[in-house]
Amino acid sequence: AQSVAQPEDQVNVAEGNPLTVKCTYSVSGNPYLFWYVQYPNRGLQFLLKYITGDNLVKGSYGFEAEFNKSQTSFHLKKPSALVSDSALYFCAVRDNSGYSTLTFGKGTMLLVSP
Amino acid sequence: GAGVSQSPSNKVTEKGKDVELRCDPISGHTALYWYRQSLGQGLEFLIYFQGNSAPDKSGLPSDRFSAERTGGSVSTLTIQRTQQEDSAVYLCASSPEGNSNQPQHFGDGTRLSIL
């Protein structure tokens, strides 16, 4: 079975400071990893993904994530937070061996204060 | 270009009634997914359609839930004899192919409230 954990329900950061939203995963094979963002009353928007290759993945809106196989983590980061980054963030994983659907974490609310 | 379209955006109905939720995926996308999002529960997978293959219904919570996809395009999620615990946001997503490394594209969802 595959699973995703987002240990923080909420992350608070001041505008201009770096932000990190944590994600750990569990799969039996190798992972495909994704980050999505959800703004109020909207669907999820794709931010970035890790499939293979470089452990540091760069995505939309200045976000990046680092794949760490030994720690089974895929934390989302941004060097300088904006108030407009305030939203709900979801990490998701799929085992790339065999058939499986995408499993999402429960989401982390990011609040960036002015 | 057009994204994934869901209708209605909001639906309020009485307990025991049947409801139909519609999803119109991005043109050319062969894979279509339905999820349920409840407060504090993240996204719960419901059902997955891939082309003309038999759908993966493993996430449907009860036999009151069903879905179909006609002509490989539009999909309808039906909930019969609705219960208050069915209240949630129902999200639809599509992707060019199923269960690959390609991201899913989401609609804005249908917010379902059961009175």
Side-chain angles (χ1 to χ4, degrees):
Chain A
Q2 59 192 34
S3 64
V4 176
Q6 293 182 242
E8 302 151 318
D9 291 336
Q10 184 168 308
V11 170
N12 296 293
V13 64
E15 188 173 34
N17 284 357
L19 70 87
T20 298
V21 182
K22 296 179 180 178
C23 170
T24 58
Y25 67 90
S26 174
V27 294
S28 56
N30 291 315
Y32 289 158
L33 291 155
F34 302 80
W35 275 102
Y36 289 83
V37 60
Q38 185 179 35
Y39 297 98
N41 299 314
R42 301 298 302 275
L44 278 66
Q45 296 178 29
F46 168 72
L47 279 180
L48 52 79
K49 67 180 180 182
Y50 171 81
I51 303 301
T52 187
D54 289 342
N55 290 342
L56 185 63
V57 178
K58 294 185 183 296
S60 307
Y61 313 121
F63 283 93
E64 57 189 30
E66 185 167 11
F67 171 65
N68 187 317
K69 187 172 183 177
S70 63
Q71 298 185 4
T72 61
S73 67
F74 190 57
H75 301 331
L76 182 70
K77 300 182 179 184
K78 187 173 182 181
S80 179
L82 300 173
V83 172
S84 57
D85 292 330
S86 298
L88 186 58
Y89 290 80
F90 289 95
C91 181
V93 69
R94 188 176 85 77
D95 190 328
N96 74 0
S97 59
Y99 171 85
S100 70
T101 55
L102 200 58
T103 297
F104 287 83
K106 292 189 175 183
T108 297
M109 179 63 71
L110 173 66
L111 294 177
V112 182
S113 55
Chain B
V4 176
S5 177
Q6 290 188 246
S7 61
S9 54
N10 287 283
K11 177 71 175 179
V12 181
T13 192
E14 294 179 347
K15 176 182 172 182
K17 300 288 188 181
D18 298 352
V19 296
E20 285 190 352
L21 312 179
R22 176 188 169 104
C23 173
D24 199 344
I26 292 173
S27 178
H29 280 193
T30 62
L32 187 147
Y33 309 81
W34 283 98
Y35 296 91
R36 179 167 67 178
Q37 184 177 19
S38 304
L39 196 62
Q41 296 299 313
L43 266 69
E44 176 187 6
F45 165 75
L46 297 177
I47 189 168
Y48 157 54
F49 295 89
Q50 171 55 46
N52 295 320
S53 302
D56 176 355
K57 304 179 181 180
S58 61
L60 295 178
S62 78
D63 58 8
R64 295 186 296 105
F65 288 72
S66 63
E68 62 178 21
R69 188 178 184 192
T70 54
S73 181
V74 172
S75 177
T76 302
L77 177 69
T78 301
I79 309 174
Q80 296 178 310
R81 306 181 302 281
T82 53
Q83 304 294 314
Q84 288 186 333
E85 60 263 30
D86 299 334
S87 296
V89 176
Y90 290 81
L91 292 166
C92 175
S94 71
S95 63
E97 57 183 288
N99 283 334
S100 67
N101 60 21
Q102 299 184 37
Q104 297 177 15
H105 300 258
F106 284 80
D108 287 340
T110 293
R111 185 174 300 276
L112 178 63
S113 299
I114 309 301
L115 302 179

